[in-house]
Amino acid sequence: MGSPGSELRDGMRIDWDVLIEMDDGLVLRADVYRPEREGRFPVILSYGPYAKGLAFQEGYPSAWQRMVAEHPDVAYGSSNKYQNWEVVDPEKWVPDGYACVRVDSRGAGRSPGYIDHFSPRETRDLYLCIEWAGVQRWSNGKVGLNGISYYGINQWHVASLQPPHLAAMCIWEGAADWYRDMTHHGGILSTFWANWYDMQVKSVQYGLGARGPRSRVTGELVCGDETLTDRELQRNRCDFGDDILAHPLDDDYHKGRSPVWDRISVPFLSAANWGGQGLHPRGNFEGFVRAASRDKWLEAHGIEHWTHFYTDYGRTLQKRFFDYTLKDMKNGWDRQPRVQLQLRHVDRFVERHENEWPIARTRWTKFHLDPAGHALGPEPPKAAASATYDGLGDGVTFISAPLEHETEITGPLAAKLFVSSSTADADLFLVFRVFSPDMREIVFMGAIDPHTPVAQGWLRASHRKLDPKLSTEYRPYHTHDELQPLKPGEVVPLDVELWPTSIVVPAGHRIALSVRGRDYEWQKSTGAKLSNFKNELRGCGPFLHDDPRDRPAAVFGGRNTLHAGPGRESYLLVPVIPPQR
């Protein structure tokens, strides 16, 4: 279909609001940035809800200001007029011979329709956009997907449909499993999505029209030329938070919004963030391990989740991958080690390459819980002991002796706990922590939160059922398909997954495990906020579990007890990495 407008500017040919018709007759709108010269180019495509006409600087000012202040290479070499949240800057891709296509997803920005995030309908839309891009006169027939978060999550989903023109994907901090990674951590409802919907989607819904922003580049209305009433807008979107709440188990609603790993065969680069607890790292590691693709690579880094996508480090890595997969360039990518890690030290990151994940030479090391002394040690306690805490409270912390040697911990963690409750259920919030010799906690600038702990995991006791085929000692995998209520006072074993992490712990520091009844807090108040989130950032970013409808005090507000001793070996399994030889 045609384009309402095309122009040459800033060294690019830009087609604004190109119309892409879906198989149900709905027409989506996309902007296409391509080289001025005639030719056929590989395509970098993204499809998502954040409005292609909304500048990064205007939609996410606090994130932009921090990024360019600390990483000036992001802004250097670009006018930055075409910067959008979580997608590539065309001024840094088009000169290298790429066509960049940005599609406003159904119901968002300048695309009309009904918003239902990550639904099979959206995945089908993305499939059709890929196939459209693959046959345009300016396309070489190879479409690559690239983008952060939302623009990474839906890559896993559409790859399960195997679109013929999809040639490569870069999933930058994109979760995958709609249930385990995103909506229910260990079976506990995450309130992130309901709040995200209010702050980042409703604010750019199609139909805001004259009530919404205008593009700083074109002057056009970012959210469509039609101005709808609040009631009409509401009719055009799902009740996202309540829809998630209505599906507490991993049912067809969730499975329809999750990947089918054995159908993903396209080459991909999966980039995780160690500090993305609550959304971003798990799916990147899980996808690398489980997707059927023969050609797949894993990268892991730190700091804010949007930053390295735009830095020279991240962009160069992405281009090497896409030059190889979309342009058939002999650039050495075929010799790129399968795993590239930015190992996290207390004060820096150090790059290292590996051949697999988890790292084959890992020494899986048990640190045993001793409730009597609140200790974490190499041997299990010889006598039975227990520790009791408020089911909605701050819980209990188990601390090791000072480590004798510098110790690298890189990989997934797991805990085996024996638990009883005075009620029919219990929510466990596990936090893996590191303390300096003077007992100051080591925290990091995470994907979102500036005071992120080393690792976290979650489990609702009634969701303790394991999938025997997918579970390993270091990665318990829960089915989340039925409830197994507790009997008050009965002791049950719980296997808890803690999401992958990396930390090189200096000698003299201590490691610790906190078992809590609520979300981790670095401190009660920090003053830290971002313009696109509602809550103050106190250690977990926006990834909280505080909906009383999901955690009624009558069920979860009892007294929980942790048990250890003979026959009840309670421990934390830690991936200790010896040096490479």
Side-chain angles (χ1 to χ4, degrees):
M1 300 188 66
S3 167
S6 181
E7 61 178 325
L8 295 174
R9 58 188 296 171
D10 296 313
M12 300 179 287
R13 179 170 295 280
I14 307 174
D15 303 320
W16 303 109
D17 267 358
V18 179
L19 308 180
I20 308 177
E21 186 171 347
M22 299 294 98
D23 54 5
D24 63 352
L26 187 84
V27 176
L28 303 180
R29 287 164 174 80
D31 293 339
V32 179
Y33 303 81
R34 51 194 174 92
E36 289 183 346
R37 69 184 187 277
E38 289 298 318
R40 298 168 71 86
F41 308 101
V43 179
I44 301 294
L45 185 143
S46 56
Y47 168 104
Y50 297 136
K52 61 185 177 61
L54 181 65
F56 192 139
Q57 300 92 319
E58 293 180 8
Y60 300 85
S62 55
W64 174 260
Q65 290 157 11
R66 178 187 174 95
M67 179 169 65
V68 297
E70 298 191 7
H71 302 274
D73 55 314
V74 170
Y76 182 76
S78 172
S79 74
N80 299 297
K81 286 189 253 179
Y82 310 97
Q83 293 280 9
N84 266 189
W85 178 244
E86 300 190 332
V87 295
V88 301
D89 176 2
E91 286 188 273
K92 292 191 175 183
W93 286 79
V94 170
D96 289 337
Y98 286 93
C100 298
V101 177
R102 292 176 176 167
V103 186
D104 274 344
S105 60
R106 182 175 293 243
R110 292 184 62 81
S111 290
Y114 183 83
I115 296 178
D116 187 5
H117 294 300
F118 305 116
S119 64
R121 177 64 262 178
E122 268 208 354
T123 303
R124 179 66 179 166
D125 287 349
L126 179 50
Y127 177 104
L128 294 169
C129 290
I130 292 166
E131 291 307 291
W132 172 88
V135 298
Q136 298 305 298
R137 60 178 177 79
W138 39 258
S139 169
N140 75 348
K142 291 188 175 185
V143 179
L145 301 178
N146 196 12
I148 312 173
S149 192
Y150 198 106
Y151 301 100
I153 294 167
N154 59 13
Q155 293 182 44
W156 295 121
H157 302 166
V158 77
S160 302
L161 301 182
Q162 300 181 336
H165 287 95
L166 178 60
M169 309 189 301
C170 176
I171 308 99
W172 201 272
E173 301 189 35
D177 187 310
W178 183 228
Y179 190 91
R180 291 163 185 80
D181 298 352
M182 294 183 263
T183 68
H184 290 77
H185 298 133
I188 309 168
L189 177 73
S190 171
T191 54
F192 166 74
W193 291 103
N195 294 325
W196 166 85
Y197 200 46
D198 289 343
M199 297 292 286
Q200 293 183 237
V201 177
K202 293 179 183 178
S203 58
V204 289
Q205 183 179 353
Y206 174 86
L208 281 173
R211 295 192 286 160
R214 285 186 179 272
S215 165
R216 60 163 55 183
V217 177
T218 66
E220 296 293 320
L221 291 166
V222 165
C223 302
D225 297 327
E226 189 178 11
T227 302
L228 304 179
T229 66
D230 288 344
R231 180 165 292 186
E232 288 171 321
L233 289 170
Q234 187 175 9
R235 283 201 297 265
N236 286 342
R237 63 180 185 245
C238 67
D239 293 323
F240 201 44
D242 286 347
D243 287 353
I244 293 168
L245 179 69
H247 294 273
L249 297 176
D250 186 17
D251 57 11
D252 289 343
Y253 167 81
H254 283 92
K255 287 181 169 60
R257 291 160 169 79
S258 296
V260 182
W261 293 119
D262 60 5
R263 288 189 53 78
I264 297 177
S265 57
V266 64
F268 67 80
L269 169 63
S270 177
N273 188 317
W274 303 120
Q277 299 154 34
L279 186 59
H280 288 300
R282 184 184 185 276
N284 287 103
F285 290 105
E286 193 83 356
F288 177 74
V289 172
R290 295 184 62 193
S293 301
R294 180 174 57 87
D295 296 321
K296 54 186 177 180
W297 290 266
L298 174 68
E299 187 272 351
H301 55 269
I303 66 176
E304 309 94 341
H305 97 101
W306 53 85
T307 298
H308 266 319
F309 181 80
Y310 295 96
T311 62
D312 288 348
Y313 165 79
R315 184 171 46 83
T316 300
L317 187 73
Q318 295 159 38
K319 275 195 182 160
R320 286 182 56 226
F321 168 71
F322 282 123
D323 283 348
Y324 177 75
T325 53
L326 301 185
K327 294 181 177 181
D328 298 322
M329 285 180 60
K330 306 301 182 187
N331 62 358
W333 183 267
D334 56 323
R335 299 187 299 276
Q336 169 79 8
R338 292 295 169 154
V339 178
Q340 178 169 310
L341 305 177
Q342 298 296 331
L343 296 166
R344 188 166 55 175
H345 290 246
V346 170
D347 58 351
R348 67 194 187 282
F349 292 89
V350 176
E351 184 170 302
R352 190 177 73 218
H353 295 117
E354 299 285 349
N355 296 315
E356 69 290 307
W357 184 268
I359 298 169
R361 66 184 183 282
T362 302
R363 293 175 183 161
W364 299 102
T365 304
K366 291 180 180 179
F367 286 83
H368 297 269
L369 278 62
D370 183 356
H374 289 189
L376 202 60
E379 301 295 335
K382 293 183 169 53
S386 64
T388 300
Y389 63 93
D390 179 353
L392 293 174
D394 291 334
V396 183
T397 297
F398 302 86
I399 303 178
S400 76
L403 299 184
E404 294 182 7
H405 308 285
E406 179 181 87
T407 304
E408 180 189 334
I409 296 168
T410 299
L413 297 87
K416 180 82 168 185
L417 302 176
F418 288 83
V419 177
S420 63
S421 174
S422 63
T423 66
D425 214 339
D427 284 346
L428 277 68
F429 296 74
L430 272 59
V431 189
F432 177 62
R433 308 166 75 180
V434 172
F435 290 92
S436 66
D438 60 357
M439 293 306 294
R440 288 179 296 109
E441 184 174 9
I442 305 299
V443 293
F444 295 92
M445 178 65 236
I448 302 294
D449 201 292
H451 303 102
T452 300
V454 178
Q456 295 187 73
W458 307 262
L459 185 63
R460 176 160 287 174
S462 60
H463 286 239
R464 62 189 178 276
K465 178 183 172 185
L466 292 170
D467 184 323
K469 291 183 179 178
L470 293 175
S471 291
T472 65
E473 183 184 23
Y474 58 79
R475 202 289 311 271
Y477 193 94
H478 299 88
T479 62
H480 299 293
D481 59 0
E482 65 170 309
L483 298 180
Q484 297 179 338
L486 301 175
K487 296 176 182 176
E490 179 187 18
V491 181
V492 298
L494 302 180
D495 296 277
V496 187
E497 172 188 7
L498 283 79
W499 289 11
T501 193
S502 174
I503 177 67
V504 178
V505 185
H509 283 51
R510 303 169 188 256
I511 64 171
L513 178 70
S514 292
V515 183
R516 298 171 55 85
R518 61 186 178 191
D519 286 307
Y520 166 86
E521 287 183 343
W522 181 67
Q523 60 186 37
K524 295 295 181 186
S525 180
T526 64
K529 294 203 76 172
L530 284 172
S531 55
N532 51 309
F533 297 123
K534 292 180 180 180
N535 62 294
E536 185 179 20
L537 305 178
R538 297 185 294 185
C540 290
F543 307 110
L544 302 177
H545 309 80
D546 54 1
D547 190 329
R549 296 174 297 174
D550 181 65
R551 306 189 67 219
V555 178
F556 296 96
R559 300 283 289 169
N560 298 339
T561 302
L562 301 172
H563 303 264
R568 291 173 177 166
E569 186 186 3
S570 297
Y571 58 84
L572 175 68
L573 188 68
V574 176
V576 176
I577 309 298
Q580 284 179 322
R581 292 183 179 178

